[in-house]
Amino acid sequence: DLKDFVSCDQFTSLIKLDLSFNSLTSKLESINFGDMVNLEILDLSNNFLESLPINMASLNSLKELRIQNNALLILPEEIGSINSLVILKANDNAFQNIPTSIGDLINLEQLNFANNELRTFPNSLCNIFPFNMDSNNPETGIFNIGNNNICSDCCLENCIEDICILGNSDETCSDLPSS
């Protein structure tokens, strides 16, 4: 039982927690992330999660968060307090927007929101561009927003000169509220 597993208080040395492919549907509120002070990688991908616990913000050592392939609708605003985050894989969910706090993730190198229901982005994303790109490592500096409902004449044009938004709609943003 996951609840019995996560109530264990022996997670202070844990560096990676992989709960992917477990058909999880709960909100995971029973997990005390505050005890996982050394956790660097959290993989919750390929489940049926509809929300994430707010207490994930206490993961001060987290470098990689994998939440792709779930049924997530909302990314908690508290995500912006995980300053150590380098990789955020949030593709293949049902996100319609991104919290403004995403702009506080100054160490972010990879951000994947492909295959969601996004229509626009918060201007705070300009705070983290350009990503920490390393030309010798093709895995860094990735920003993927393909296959969303993002219109071609809006979103981040003030801070990104060259961006490819493949697979997005071609509608205008005149009727969209600003983020």
Side-chain angles (χ1 to χ4, degrees):
D1 183 54
L2 182 61
K3 189 171 184 172
D4 294 335
F5 172 74
V6 296
S7 65
C8 178
D9 60 356
Q10 299 177 359
F11 290 121
T12 56
S13 299
L14 192 64
I15 294 174
K16 179 179 181 180
L17 178 59
D18 187 346
L19 296 174
S20 63
F21 295 99
N22 277 294
S23 300
L24 299 176
T25 58
S26 72
K27 295 182 179 181
L28 302 178
E29 294 295 338
S30 60
I31 298 177
N32 185 2
F33 287 107
D35 291 340
M36 301 180 197
V37 295
N38 293 308
L39 192 67
E40 294 182 5
I41 300 171
L42 176 59
D43 191 345
L44 300 172
S45 64
N46 300 291
N47 285 295
F48 302 103
L49 298 172
E50 294 181 3
S51 65
L52 296 172
I54 293 172
N55 66 3
M56 284 179 49
S58 63
L59 294 172
N60 296 325
S61 298
L62 193 66
K63 294 180 179 173
E64 184 171 347
L65 178 59
R66 299 176 189 168
I67 54 175
Q68 70 269 26
N69 296 309
N70 277 289
L72 295 168
L73 300 169
I74 297 171
L75 191 62
E77 189 72 35
E78 291 78 8
I79 191 79
S81 65
I82 308 175
N83 295 326
S84 57
L85 203 58
V86 175
I87 299 170
L88 175 55
K89 295 182 178 182
N91 52 293
D92 298 289
N93 279 289
F95 292 118
Q96 293 183 353
N97 57 45
I98 298 173
T100 57
S101 67
I102 201 88
D104 297 332
L105 301 175
I106 59 172
N107 292 308
L108 207 58
E109 294 179 3
Q110 293 184 36
L111 181 62
N112 189 341
F113 273 99
N115 303 313
N116 278 286
E117 298 173 16
L118 298 172
R119 293 186 56 110
T120 187
F121 287 92
N123 290 333
S124 63
L125 272 177
C126 292
N127 298 340
I128 56 175
F129 280 104
F131 281 158
N132 297 320
M133 295 189 184
D134 179 355
S135 60
N136 296 320
N137 184 353
E139 291 296 315
T140 63
I142 295 172
F143 178 60
N144 188 347
I145 55 173
N147 295 317
N148 278 285
N149 295 318
I150 300 168
C151 50
S152 59
D153 65 344
C154 73
C155 312
L156 306 178
E157 70 273 1
N158 294 329
C159 62
I160 303 175
E161 293 179 9
D162 185 21
I163 184 168
C164 184
I165 307 177
L166 297 174
N168 285 289
S169 67
D170 208 17
E171 60 188 275
T172 65
C173 289
S174 59
D175 297 328
L176 295 177
S178 58
S179 302

